[in-house]
């Protein structure tokens, strides 16, 4: 979260990522927020088996942080807020959580015995 805030606090003119086309930097929200969602889900879930409540809690947490980040950017010179950024943030979070739950459930399924 600190890295995301630090990057979004940079004025647009001094943006390191500004060397890339805007389409690419907009798409960078997806993997960054996917990682944030995965780490948050692991922390929220802990050892608990209540996957649904952990997923919902993680999505709410990521949405609130995405909204904060966009609000924060509105005060940075050369930056503006974008609903598209929030959409990409939530897309990344949703993909990461779907994959995490899918592979967690799949790993818990009993495997058929091999006949040798």
């Amino acid at each position: 979260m600190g890295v995301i805030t630090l990057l979004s606090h940079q004025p647009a003119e001094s943006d390191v990522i500004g060397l890339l086309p805007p389409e690419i930097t907009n798409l960078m929200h997806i993997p960054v927020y996917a990682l944030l969602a995965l780490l948050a889900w692991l922390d929220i879930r802990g050892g608990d088996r209540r996957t649904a409540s952990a997923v919902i809690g993680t999505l709410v947490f990521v949405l609130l942080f995405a909204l904060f980040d966009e609000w924060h950017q509105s005060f940075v010179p050369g930056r503006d807020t974008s609903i598209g950024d929030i959409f990409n943030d939530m897309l990344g979070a949703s993909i990461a959580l779907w994959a995490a739950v899918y592979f967690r459930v799949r790993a818990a399924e009993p495997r058929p015995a091999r006949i040798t």
Side-chain angles (χ1 to χ4, degrees), residues 99-111:
V101 170
Y102 175 80
F103 288 112
R104 181 173 180 258
V105 168
R106 188 154 176 173
E109 290 177 353
R111 299 179 190 263

Side-chain angles (χ1 to χ4, degrees), residues 19-78:
L19 302 173
L20 299 173
E23 298 80 21
I24 301 297
T25 57
N26 289 342
L27 291 177
M28 290 303 295
H29 283 253
I30 296 171
V32 169
Y33 275 80
L35 179 61
L36 175 64
L38 183 60
L39 293 174
W41 178 72
L42 289 171
D43 187 53
I44 290 170
R45 184 182 65 88
D48 197 358
R49 294 274 181 204
R50 296 175 298 170
T51 302
S53 61
V55 167
I56 292 169
T58 301
L59 287 173
V60 168
F61 171 77
V62 171
L63 177 61
L64 290 174
F65 183 73
L67 290 169
F68 162 77
D69 189 47
E70 290 302 312
W71 173 77
H72 164 256
Q73 283 186 36
S74 70
F75 299 104
V76 178

Side-chain angles (χ1 to χ4, degrees), residues 74-116:
S74 70
F75 299 104
V76 178
R79 298 276 187 161
D80 58 356
T81 59
S82 168
I83 194 73
D85 287 349
I86 295 172
F87 175 80
N88 285 339
D89 299 341
M90 296 310 294
L91 178 62
S94 299
I95 291 169
L97 291 172
W98 175 84
V101 170
Y102 175 80
F103 288 112
R104 181 173 180 258
V105 168
R106 188 154 176 173
E109 290 177 353
R111 299 179 190 263
R114 287 187 172 182
I115 300 174
T116 57

